[in-house]
Amino acid sequence: LAVRRRNPDVFLDGEYRGLDATGAYRNHLVAVERSNGRTSFLAVVPRLVVSVTGEATIPPIGDIWQDTALPVPDAEPCTRYRNLFTDEIVTAREFAGRATLRAAEILSSFPVALLQRLEGREGKS
């Protein structure tokens, strides 16, 4: 909620769009983007995780997501995002001609993510 209060132009007037995951567990991720062109936030949340974890009592994080990925419209390969819950940086890579974030990286250490697009690209300030 603090992020929402600090960015009212994005959350009140920005574009809202659902994102479609790809890969083995594509139906087990819900992702939405809020963007005003300058600032962008992606929320990523797993769903129906028993199918992902194989009924094991483990959190749905890391490599358990296999090839599941999230194509990000309006992003380029090397676009960086900061996970506001963990402070980890994830970088979009090119896959099938689109900038894509791997679910295993997005959810590497925490089972939900709020990603903020960073200024510049990897290797540039």
Coordinates of all heavy atoms in Angstrom, one line a residue, residues 29-121:
L29 N 0.2 -19.0 -12.6 CA 0.7 -17.7 -12.2 C -0.3 -16.7 -12.6 O -0.9 -16.8 -13.7 CB 2.0 -17.3 -13.0 CG 3.3 -17.8 -12.5 CD1 4.5 -17.2 -13.3 CD2 3.5 -17.5 -11.0
V30 N -0.5 -15.7 -11.8 CA -1.4 -14.6 -12.1 C -0.4 -13.4 -12.1 O 0.3 -13.2 -11.1 CB -2.5 -14.4 -11.1 CG1 -3.3 -13.1 -11.3 CG2 -3.4 -15.6 -11.0
A31 N -0.4 -12.6 -13.1 CA 0.4 -11.4 -13.2 C -0.3 -10.3 -13.8 O -1.0 -10.4 -14.8 CB 1.7 -11.8 -14.1
V32 N -0.1 -9.1 -13.2 CA -0.7 -7.9 -13.7 C 0.3 -6.8 -13.7 O 1.2 -6.8 -12.9 CB -2.0 -7.4 -12.9 CG1 -3.1 -8.5 -13.1 CG2 -1.6 -7.2 -11.5
E33 N 0.1 -5.9 -14.7 CA 1.0 -4.7 -14.8 C 0.2 -3.4 -14.6 O -0.8 -3.3 -15.2 CB 1.8 -4.7 -16.1 CG 2.7 -3.6 -16.3 CD 3.3 -3.5 -17.7 OE1 2.6 -3.9 -18.7 OE2 4.5 -3.1 -17.8
R34 N 0.8 -2.5 -13.9 CA 0.3 -1.1 -13.9 C 1.4 -0.2 -14.4 O 2.5 -0.3 -13.9 CB -0.1 -0.7 -12.4 CG -1.3 -1.4 -11.8 CD -2.6 -1.2 -12.6 NE -3.0 0.2 -12.7 CZ -4.2 0.6 -12.2 NH1 -4.9 -0.2 -11.5 NH2 -4.5 1.9 -12.4
S35 N 1.1 0.6 -15.4 CA 2.1 1.4 -16.0 C 1.6 2.8 -16.5 O 0.4 2.8 -16.9 CB 2.7 0.7 -17.2 OG 3.7 1.5 -17.8
N36 N 2.4 3.8 -16.3 CA 2.0 5.1 -16.9 C 2.9 5.5 -18.0 O 3.0 6.7 -18.4 CB 1.9 6.2 -15.8 CG 3.2 6.5 -15.2 OD1 4.2 6.0 -15.6 ND2 3.2 7.5 -14.3
G37 N 3.7 4.6 -18.5 CA 4.7 4.9 -19.6 C 6.1 5.1 -19.0 O 7.1 4.6 -19.5
R38 N 6.2 5.8 -17.9 CA 7.5 6.1 -17.3 C 7.8 5.1 -16.2 O 8.9 4.7 -16.0 CB 7.5 7.5 -16.7 CG 7.4 8.6 -17.7 CD 7.4 10.0 -17.0 NE 6.6 10.1 -15.8 CZ 5.2 10.3 -15.8 NH1 4.6 10.4 -16.9 NH2 4.6 10.3 -14.6
T39 N 6.8 4.8 -15.4 CA 6.9 3.9 -14.3 C 6.0 2.7 -14.5 O 4.9 2.8 -14.9 CB 6.5 4.6 -13.0 OG1 7.2 5.8 -12.9 CG2 6.7 3.8 -11.7
S40 N 6.6 1.5 -14.1 CA 5.8 0.3 -14.3 C 6.0 -0.7 -13.1 O 7.1 -0.8 -12.6 CB 6.3 -0.4 -15.6 OG 5.6 -1.7 -15.7
F41 N 4.9 -1.3 -12.7 CA 5.0 -2.3 -11.6 C 4.3 -3.6 -12.1 O 3.3 -3.5 -12.8 CB 4.2 -1.8 -10.4 CG 4.8 -0.6 -9.7 CD1 4.4 0.7 -10.0 CD2 5.8 -0.7 -8.8 CE1 5.0 1.8 -9.4 CE2 6.4 0.4 -8.1 CZ 6.0 1.6 -8.5
L42 N 4.9 -4.7 -11.7 CA 4.3 -6.0 -12.1 C 4.1 -6.7 -10.7 O 5.0 -6.9 -9.9 CB 5.3 -6.8 -12.9 CG 5.7 -6.3 -14.2 CD1 6.8 -7.3 -14.8 CD2 4.6 -6.3 -15.2
A43 N 2.9 -7.2 -10.6 CA 2.5 -8.1 -9.4 C 2.4 -9.5 -9.9 O 1.7 -9.8 -10.9 CB 1.2 -7.6 -8.8
V44 N 3.1 -10.4 -9.3 CA 3.1 -11.8 -9.7 C 2.8 -12.7 -8.5 O 3.4 -12.6 -7.5 CB 4.5 -12.2 -10.3 CG1 4.5 -13.7 -10.8 CG2 4.9 -11.3 -11.4
V45 N 1.7 -13.5 -8.7 CA 1.3 -14.4 -7.6 C 1.0 -15.8 -8.1 O 0.3 -15.9 -9.1 CB 0.0 -13.8 -7.0 CG1 -0.6 -14.6 -5.8 CG2 0.2 -12.3 -6.5
P46 N 1.4 -16.8 -7.4 CA 1.1 -18.2 -7.8 C -0.3 -18.5 -7.4 O -0.9 -17.9 -6.5 CB 2.1 -19.1 -7.0 CG 2.9 -18.2 -6.2 CD 2.4 -16.8 -6.3
R47 N -0.9 -19.5 -8.1 CA -2.2 -20.0 -7.8 C -2.2 -21.5 -8.0 O -1.4 -22.1 -8.8 CB -3.3 -19.4 -8.7 CG -3.2 -19.7 -10.2 CD -4.2 -18.9 -11.0 NE -5.5 -19.4 -10.9 CZ -6.1 -20.3 -11.6 NH1 -5.4 -21.0 -12.6 NH2 -7.3 -20.7 -11.5
L48 N -3.1 -22.2 -7.3 CA -3.2 -23.6 -7.4 C -1.8 -24.3 -7.3 O -1.4 -25.1 -8.1 CB -3.9 -24.0 -8.7 CG -5.3 -23.4 -8.9 CD1 -5.7 -23.6 -10.3 CD2 -6.3 -23.8 -7.9
V49 N -1.1 -24.0 -6.2 CA 0.3 -24.4 -6.1 C 0.5 -25.9 -5.8 O 1.6 -26.4 -6.0 CB 1.1 -23.6 -5.1 CG1 1.2 -22.1 -5.6 CG2 0.5 -23.6 -3.7
V50 N -0.5 -26.6 -5.4 CA -0.3 -28.0 -5.1 C 0.1 -28.8 -6.4 O 1.0 -29.7 -6.3 CB -1.6 -28.6 -4.5 CG1 -1.5 -30.2 -4.4 CG2 -1.9 -28.0 -3.1
S51 N -0.4 -28.3 -7.5 CA 0.0 -29.0 -8.8 C 1.5 -28.6 -9.1 O 2.2 -29.4 -9.8 CB -0.8 -28.4 -9.9 OG -2.2 -28.8 -9.7
V52 N 2.0 -27.5 -8.6 CA 3.3 -27.1 -8.9 C 4.3 -27.8 -7.9 O 5.4 -28.3 -8.3 CB 3.5 -25.6 -8.7 CG1 4.9 -25.1 -8.9 CG2 2.6 -24.9 -9.7
T53 N 3.9 -27.9 -6.6 CA 4.8 -28.5 -5.6 C 4.7 -30.0 -5.5 O 5.5 -30.6 -4.7 CB 4.6 -27.9 -4.2 OG1 3.2 -28.2 -3.9 CG2 4.8 -26.4 -4.3
G54 N 3.8 -30.6 -6.2 CA 3.6 -32.0 -6.1 C 3.1 -32.5 -4.8 O 3.5 -33.5 -4.3
E55 N 2.3 -31.7 -4.2 CA 1.7 -31.9 -2.8 C 2.7 -31.9 -1.7 O 2.4 -32.2 -0.6 CB 0.9 -33.2 -2.8 CG -0.3 -33.1 -3.8 CD -1.2 -34.3 -3.7 OE1 -1.3 -34.9 -2.6 OE2 -1.9 -34.6 -4.7
A56 N 4.0 -31.6 -2.0 CA 5.0 -31.4 -1.0 C 4.7 -30.1 -0.2 O 4.2 -29.2 -0.8 CB 6.4 -31.4 -1.6
T57 N 5.1 -30.1 1.1 CA 4.9 -28.9 1.9 C 6.1 -28.0 1.8 O 6.8 -27.7 2.7 CB 4.6 -29.3 3.3 OG1 5.6 -30.1 3.8 CG2 3.2 -30.0 3.5
I58 N 6.3 -27.5 0.5 CA 7.4 -26.6 0.3 C 6.8 -25.3 -0.4 O 5.8 -25.4 -1.1 CB 8.5 -27.2 -0.6 CG1 7.9 -27.7 -1.9 CG2 9.2 -28.4 0.1 CD1 8.9 -28.2 -3.0
P59 N 7.5 -24.2 -0.2 CA 7.0 -23.0 -0.9 C 7.2 -23.1 -2.4 O 8.2 -23.7 -2.8 CB 7.7 -21.9 -0.3 CG 9.0 -22.5 0.3 CD 8.6 -23.9 0.6
P60 N 6.3 -22.5 -3.2 CA 6.5 -22.5 -4.7 C 7.5 -21.5 -5.1 O 7.2 -20.4 -5.7 CB 5.1 -22.2 -5.2 CG 4.5 -21.3 -4.1 CD 5.1 -21.8 -2.8
I61 N 8.8 -21.8 -4.8 CA 9.9 -20.8 -5.2 C 11.0 -21.5 -6.0 O 11.1 -22.7 -5.9 CB 10.5 -20.2 -3.9 CG1 11.0 -21.2 -3.0 CG2 9.4 -19.3 -3.3 CD1 11.8 -20.6 -1.8
G62 N 11.7 -20.7 -6.7 CA 12.9 -21.2 -7.4 C 12.7 -22.1 -8.6 O 11.7 -21.9 -9.3
D63 N 13.5 -23.1 -8.8 CA 13.5 -23.9 -10.0 C 12.3 -24.8 -10.1 O 12.1 -25.4 -11.2 CB 14.8 -24.8 -10.0 CG 16.0 -24.0 -10.3 OD1 15.9 -22.9 -10.9 OD2 17.1 -24.4 -9.9
I64 N 11.5 -24.9 -9.1 CA 10.2 -25.6 -9.2 C 9.4 -25.2 -10.3 O 8.6 -25.9 -10.9 CB 9.5 -25.6 -7.8 CG1 8.5 -26.7 -7.7 CG2 8.8 -24.2 -7.7 CD1 8.0 -27.0 -6.3
W65 N 9.6 -23.9 -10.8 CA 8.8 -23.3 -11.9 C 9.2 -23.8 -13.3 O 8.6 -23.4 -14.2 CB 8.8 -21.8 -11.8 CG 8.0 -21.4 -10.6 CD1 8.4 -21.0 -9.4 CD2 6.6 -21.3 -10.5 NE1 7.4 -20.7 -8.5 CE2 6.2 -20.9 -9.2 CE3 5.6 -21.6 -11.4 CZ2 4.9 -20.7 -8.8 CZ3 4.2 -21.4 -11.0 CH2 3.9 -21.0 -9.7
Q66 N 10.3 -24.5 -13.3 CA 10.8 -25.1 -14.6 C 10.9 -24.0 -15.7 O 11.6 -23.0 -15.5 CB 9.9 -26.3 -15.1 CG 9.9 -27.4 -14.1 CD 8.9 -28.5 -14.5 OE1 8.4 -28.5 -15.6 NE2 8.7 -29.4 -13.6
D67 N 10.3 -24.2 -16.8 CA 10.4 -23.3 -17.9 C 9.3 -22.1 -17.9 O 9.2 -21.4 -18.9 CB 10.3 -24.0 -19.3 CG 9.0 -24.6 -19.5 OD1 8.2 -24.8 -18.6 OD2 8.7 -25.0 -20.7
T68 N 8.6 -22.0 -16.9 CA 7.5 -21.0 -16.8 C 8.1 -19.6 -16.9 O 9.1 -19.4 -16.2 CB 6.6 -21.2 -15.6 OG1 6.2 -22.6 -15.5 CG2 5.5 -20.3 -15.5
A69 N 7.5 -18.8 -17.7 CA 8.1 -17.5 -17.9 C 7.0 -16.5 -18.1 O 5.8 -16.8 -18.4 CB 9.1 -17.5 -19.1
L70 N 7.3 -15.2 -18.1 CA 6.4 -14.1 -18.2 C 6.8 -13.1 -19.2 O 7.7 -12.3 -19.0 CB 6.2 -13.4 -16.8 CG 5.1 -12.5 -16.6 CD1 3.8 -13.2 -16.8 CD2 5.2 -11.9 -15.3
P71 N 6.3 -13.2 -20.5 CA 6.6 -12.2 -21.5 C 6.1 -10.8 -21.0 O 5.0 -10.7 -20.5 CB 5.9 -12.6 -22.7 CG 5.6 -14.1 -22.5 CD 5.4 -14.3 -21.0
V72 N 6.9 -9.8 -21.2 CA 6.6 -8.5 -20.7 C 6.4 -7.5 -21.8 O 7.5 -7.1 -22.4 CB 7.6 -8.0 -19.7 CG1 7.2 -6.6 -19.1 CG2 7.9 -9.0 -18.6
P73 N 5.2 -7.2 -22.2 CA 5.0 -6.2 -23.3 C 5.7 -4.9 -22.9 O 5.8 -4.5 -21.8 CB 3.5 -6.0 -23.3 CG 2.9 -7.2 -22.6 CD 4.0 -7.6 -21.6
D74 N 6.1 -4.1 -23.9 CA 6.7 -2.8 -23.7 C 8.0 -2.8 -23.0 O 8.5 -1.8 -22.6 CB 5.7 -1.8 -23.0 CG 4.4 -1.7 -23.8 OD1 4.4 -1.8 -25.0 OD2 3.4 -1.4 -23.1
A75 N 8.6 -4.0 -22.8 CA 10.0 -4.1 -22.2 C 10.9 -4.6 -23.3 O 10.5 -5.2 -24.3 CB 10.0 -5.0 -21.0
E76 N 12.2 -4.4 -23.1 CA 13.2 -4.9 -24.0 C 14.0 -5.9 -23.2 O 14.1 -5.9 -22.0 CB 14.1 -3.8 -24.5 CG 13.4 -2.7 -25.3 CD 14.4 -1.6 -25.7 OE1 15.6 -1.8 -25.7 OE2 13.9 -0.5 -25.9
P77 N 14.7 -6.8 -24.0 CA 15.6 -7.7 -23.3 C 16.6 -6.8 -22.5 O 17.0 -5.7 -23.0 CB 16.3 -8.4 -24.4 CG 15.3 -8.5 -25.5 CD 14.6 -7.1 -25.4
C78 N 17.1 -7.2 -21.4 CA 18.0 -6.5 -20.5 C 17.3 -5.5 -19.6 O 17.9 -4.8 -18.8 CB 19.2 -5.9 -21.2 SG 20.2 -7.1 -22.1
T79 N 16.0 -5.3 -19.7 CA 15.3 -4.4 -18.8 C 15.3 -5.1 -17.4 O 15.1 -6.3 -17.3 CB 13.8 -4.3 -19.3 OG1 13.8 -3.7 -20.6 CG2 13.0 -3.4 -18.3
R80 N 15.6 -4.3 -16.4 CA 15.8 -4.8 -15.1 C 14.6 -4.4 -14.2 O 14.0 -3.3 -14.4 CB 17.1 -4.2 -14.4 CG 18.3 -4.7 -15.2 CD 19.6 -4.1 -14.6 NE 19.5 -2.6 -14.5 CZ 19.9 -1.9 -13.5 NH1 20.4 -2.5 -12.5 NH2 19.7 -0.6 -13.5
Y81 N 14.3 -5.2 -13.3 CA 13.2 -5.0 -12.3 C 13.7 -5.3 -10.9 O 14.4 -6.3 -10.7 CB 12.0 -6.0 -12.6 CG 11.3 -5.7 -13.9 CD1 11.8 -6.2 -15.1 CD2 10.2 -4.9 -14.0 CE1 11.2 -5.9 -16.3 CE2 9.5 -4.7 -15.2 CZ 10.1 -5.2 -16.4 OH 9.5 -4.9 -17.6
R82 N 13.3 -4.5 -9.9 CA 13.6 -4.8 -8.5 C 12.3 -5.4 -7.9 O 11.2 -4.8 -8.0 CB 14.0 -3.5 -7.8 CG 14.3 -3.7 -6.3 CD 14.7 -2.4 -5.6 NE 15.7 -1.7 -6.3 CZ 17.0 -2.0 -6.3 NH1 17.5 -3.0 -5.6 NH2 17.8 -1.2 -7.0
N83 N 12.5 -6.5 -7.2 CA 11.5 -7.1 -6.4 C 11.4 -6.3 -5.1 O 12.3 -6.3 -4.3 CB 11.7 -8.5 -6.1 CG 10.6 -9.2 -5.4 OD1 9.8 -8.6 -4.6 ND2 10.5 -10.5 -5.6
L84 N 10.3 -5.6 -4.9 CA 10.2 -4.7 -3.7 C 10.0 -5.4 -2.4 O 10.2 -4.8 -1.4 CB 9.0 -3.7 -4.0 CG 9.2 -2.8 -5.2 CD1 8.0 -1.9 -5.3 CD2 10.5 -2.0 -5.1
F85 N 9.7 -6.7 -2.5 CA 9.6 -7.5 -1.2 C 11.0 -8.0 -0.8 O 11.3 -8.2 0.4 CB 8.7 -8.7 -1.4 CG 7.2 -8.3 -1.6 CD1 6.5 -9.0 -2.6 CD2 6.6 -7.3 -0.9 CE1 5.2 -8.7 -2.8 CE2 5.3 -7.0 -1.1 CZ 4.6 -7.6 -2.0
T86 N 11.8 -8.4 -1.8 CA 13.1 -9.1 -1.5 C 14.3 -8.2 -1.8 O 15.5 -8.6 -1.5 CB 13.3 -10.4 -2.2 OG1 13.3 -10.1 -3.6 CG2 12.1 -11.3 -1.9
D87 N 14.2 -7.1 -2.6 CA 15.2 -6.3 -3.1 C 16.1 -7.0 -4.1 O 17.1 -6.4 -4.5 CB 16.1 -5.7 -1.9 CG 16.7 -4.4 -2.3 OD1 16.0 -3.6 -3.0 OD2 17.8 -4.1 -1.9
E88 N 15.7 -8.1 -4.6 CA 16.4 -8.8 -5.7 C 16.2 -8.1 -7.0 O 15.1 -7.6 -7.3 CB 16.0 -10.3 -5.8 CG 16.3 -11.1 -4.5 CD 15.7 -12.4 -4.5 OE1 14.4 -12.5 -4.7 OE2 16.4 -13.4 -4.2
I89 N 17.1 -8.2 -7.9 CA 17.0 -7.7 -9.3 C 16.8 -8.8 -10.2 O 17.6 -9.8 -10.2 CB 18.3 -6.9 -9.7 CG1 18.6 -5.8 -8.7 CG2 18.1 -6.4 -11.1 CD1 17.5 -4.7 -8.6
V90 N 15.8 -8.7 -11.1 CA 15.6 -9.7 -12.1 C 15.7 -9.0 -13.5 O 15.3 -7.8 -13.6 CB 14.3 -10.5 -12.0 CG1 14.3 -11.4 -10.8 CG2 13.1 -9.6 -12.0
T91 N 16.3 -9.7 -14.5 CA 16.5 -9.1 -15.8 C 15.8 -9.8 -16.8 O 15.8 -11.1 -16.9 CB 18.0 -9.1 -16.1 OG1 18.7 -8.4 -15.0 CG2 18.3 -8.4 -17.4
A92 N 15.1 -9.1 -17.7 CA 14.3 -9.7 -18.8 C 15.4 -10.2 -19.8 O 16.3 -9.5 -20.1 CB 13.4 -8.7 -19.4
R93 N 15.1 -11.4 -20.4 CA 15.9 -12.0 -21.4 C 15.1 -12.2 -22.6 O 13.9 -12.3 -22.5 CB 16.5 -13.3 -20.9 CG 17.3 -13.3 -19.7 CD 18.6 -12.6 -19.9 NE 19.3 -12.5 -18.6 CZ 20.1 -11.6 -18.3 NH1 20.4 -10.6 -19.1 NH2 20.8 -11.6 -17.1
E94 N 15.7 -12.2 -23.8 CA 15.0 -12.4 -25.0 C 14.6 -13.9 -25.1 O 15.5 -14.8 -25.0 CB 15.7 -12.0 -26.2 CG 14.9 -12.1 -27.5 CD 15.6 -11.5 -28.7 OE1 16.5 -10.7 -28.5 OE2 15.2 -11.9 -29.8
F95 N 13.4 -14.2 -25.4 CA 12.9 -15.5 -25.6 C 11.8 -15.5 -26.6 O 10.8 -14.7 -26.5 CB 12.4 -16.2 -24.3 CG 11.9 -17.6 -24.6 CD1 12.8 -18.6 -24.8 CD2 10.6 -17.9 -24.6 CE1 12.4 -19.9 -25.0 CE2 10.1 -19.2 -24.8 CZ 11.1 -20.2 -25.0
A96 N 11.9 -16.2 -27.7 CA 10.9 -16.2 -28.8 C 10.6 -14.7 -29.3 O 9.5 -14.4 -29.6 CB 9.6 -16.9 -28.4
G97 N 11.7 -13.9 -29.3 CA 11.5 -12.5 -29.9 C 10.9 -11.6 -28.9 O 10.6 -10.4 -29.3
R98 N 10.7 -11.9 -27.6 CA 10.1 -11.0 -26.6 C 10.9 -11.0 -25.4 O 11.6 -11.9 -25.0 CB 8.7 -11.5 -26.3 CG 7.7 -11.7 -27.4 CD 6.4 -12.1 -27.0 NE 6.3 -13.5 -26.6 CZ 5.3 -14.1 -26.2 NH1 4.1 -13.5 -26.1 NH2 5.3 -15.4 -25.9
A99 N 10.8 -9.8 -24.7 CA 11.5 -9.7 -23.4 C 10.7 -10.5 -22.4 O 9.4 -10.4 -22.3 CB 11.5 -8.2 -23.0
T100 N 11.3 -11.4 -21.7 CA 10.7 -12.4 -20.9 C 11.4 -12.5 -19.5 O 12.6 -12.5 -19.5 CB 10.7 -13.8 -21.6 OG1 10.0 -13.6 -22.8 CG2 10.0 -14.8 -20.8
L101 N 10.6 -12.6 -18.4 CA 11.2 -12.9 -17.1 C 10.9 -14.3 -16.7 O 9.7 -14.8 -16.9 CB 10.5 -11.9 -16.1 CG 10.7 -10.4 -16.3 CD1 9.8 -9.6 -15.4 CD2 12.2 -10.1 -16.0
R102 N 11.9 -15.0 -16.2 CA 11.7 -16.4 -15.8 C 11.0 -16.4 -14.4 O 11.4 -15.7 -13.5 CB 13.0 -17.1 -15.7 CG 13.6 -17.4 -17.1 CD 14.9 -18.2 -17.0 NE 14.6 -19.5 -16.4 CZ 15.2 -20.0 -15.2 NH1 16.1 -19.3 -14.6 NH2 14.9 -21.2 -14.8
A103 N 10.0 -17.3 -14.3 CA 9.3 -17.4 -13.0 C 10.2 -17.9 -11.9 O 10.1 -17.4 -10.7 CB 8.1 -18.3 -13.1
A104 N 11.2 -18.7 -12.2 CA 12.2 -19.2 -11.2 C 13.0 -18.1 -10.7 O 13.4 -18.1 -9.5 CB 13.1 -20.3 -11.9
E105 N 13.2 -17.0 -11.5 CA 14.0 -15.9 -11.0 C 13.1 -14.9 -10.2 O 13.5 -14.4 -9.2 CB 14.7 -15.2 -12.1 CG 15.8 -16.0 -12.7 CD 16.5 -15.3 -13.9 OE1 16.6 -14.0 -13.9 OE2 16.8 -16.0 -14.9
I106 N 11.9 -14.7 -10.8 CA 11.0 -13.8 -10.1 C 10.6 -14.3 -8.7 O 10.6 -13.5 -7.8 CB 9.6 -13.6 -10.9 CG1 9.9 -13.0 -12.3 CG2 8.6 -12.8 -10.1 CD1 8.7 -13.1 -13.2
L107 N 10.4 -15.6 -8.6 CA 10.0 -16.2 -7.3 C 11.2 -17.0 -6.8 O 10.9 -18.1 -6.3 CB 8.8 -17.0 -7.6 CG 7.6 -16.3 -8.2 CD1 6.4 -17.3 -8.5 CD2 7.1 -15.2 -7.3
S108 N 12.4 -16.5 -6.9 CA 13.5 -17.3 -6.4 C 13.6 -17.5 -4.9 O 14.1 -18.6 -4.5 CB 14.8 -16.6 -6.9 OG 15.0 -15.4 -6.3
S109 N 13.1 -16.6 -4.1 CA 13.3 -16.8 -2.7 C 12.0 -16.4 -1.9 O 12.0 -16.6 -0.7 CB 14.4 -15.9 -2.2 OG 14.2 -14.5 -2.4
F110 N 11.0 -15.9 -2.6 CA 9.7 -15.5 -1.9 C 8.6 -15.9 -2.9 O 8.7 -15.7 -4.1 CB 9.8 -14.0 -1.6 CG 8.8 -13.6 -0.6 CD1 8.9 -14.0 0.7 CD2 7.8 -12.7 -1.0 CE1 7.9 -13.5 1.7 CE2 6.9 -12.3 0.0 CZ 6.9 -12.7 1.3
P111 N 7.5 -16.4 -2.4 CA 6.4 -16.9 -3.2 C 5.5 -15.9 -3.9 O 4.7 -16.3 -4.7 CB 5.6 -17.8 -2.3 CG 5.8 -17.3 -1.0 CD 7.2 -16.7 -1.0
V112 N 5.7 -14.6 -3.7 CA 5.0 -13.6 -4.4 C 6.0 -12.5 -4.8 O 7.0 -12.3 -4.1 CB 3.8 -13.0 -3.6 CG1 2.7 -14.1 -3.4 CG2 4.2 -12.3 -2.4
A113 N 5.6 -11.6 -5.8 CA 6.6 -10.6 -6.1 C 5.8 -9.3 -6.5 O 4.7 -9.4 -7.1 CB 7.5 -11.0 -7.3
L114 N 6.4 -8.2 -6.2 CA 6.0 -6.9 -6.7 C 7.2 -6.3 -7.3 O 8.2 -5.9 -6.6 CB 5.4 -6.0 -5.6 CG 5.0 -4.6 -6.1 CD1 3.9 -4.7 -7.2 CD2 4.5 -3.8 -4.9
L115 N 7.3 -6.2 -8.6 CA 8.5 -5.8 -9.4 C 8.3 -4.4 -9.9 O 7.2 -4.0 -10.4 CB 8.7 -6.7 -10.6 CG 8.8 -8.2 -10.3 CD1 9.0 -9.0 -11.6 CD2 10.0 -8.5 -9.4
Q116 N 9.3 -3.6 -9.7 CA 9.3 -2.2 -10.2 C 10.4 -2.1 -11.3 O 11.5 -2.5 -11.1 CB 9.6 -1.2 -9.2 CG 9.6 0.2 -9.7 CD 9.8 1.3 -8.7 OE1 10.2 1.0 -7.5 NE2 9.6 2.5 -9.0
R117 N 9.9 -1.7 -12.5 CA 10.9 -1.5 -13.6 C 11.9 -0.5 -13.2 O 11.5 0.6 -12.8 CB 10.2 -1.2 -14.9 CG 11.1 -1.2 -16.1 CD 10.5 -0.8 -17.4 NE 9.3 -1.5 -17.6 CZ 8.5 -1.4 -18.7 NH1 8.9 -0.5 -19.7 NH2 7.4 -2.0 -18.9
L118 N 13.2 -0.7 -13.5 CA 14.3 0.2 -13.2 C 14.6 1.0 -14.4 O 14.5 0.6 -15.5 CB 15.5 -0.6 -12.7 CG 15.3 -1.4 -11.4 CD1 16.5 -2.2 -11.0 CD2 14.8 -0.5 -10.2
E119 N 15.1 2.2 -14.1 CA 15.6 3.0 -15.2 C 16.8 2.4 -15.9 O 17.6 1.7 -15.2 CB 16.0 4.4 -14.7 CG 14.9 5.2 -14.1 CD 14.0 5.8 -15.1 OE1 14.5 6.2 -16.2 OE2 12.8 6.0 -14.9
G120 N 17.0 2.6 -17.1 CA 18.2 2.0 -17.8 C 18.1 0.5 -18.0 O 17.1 -0.1 -17.6
R121 N 19.1 0.0 -18.6 CA 19.2 -1.4 -18.9 C 20.4 -2.0 -18.3 O 21.3 -1.3 -17.9 CB 19.2 -1.7 -20.4 CG 17.9 -1.3 -21.1 CD 17.9 -1.3 -22.6 NE 18.8 -2.4 -23.1 CZ 18.7 -2.8 -24.3 NH1 17.9 -2.2 -25.2 NH2 19.5 -3.7 -24.7

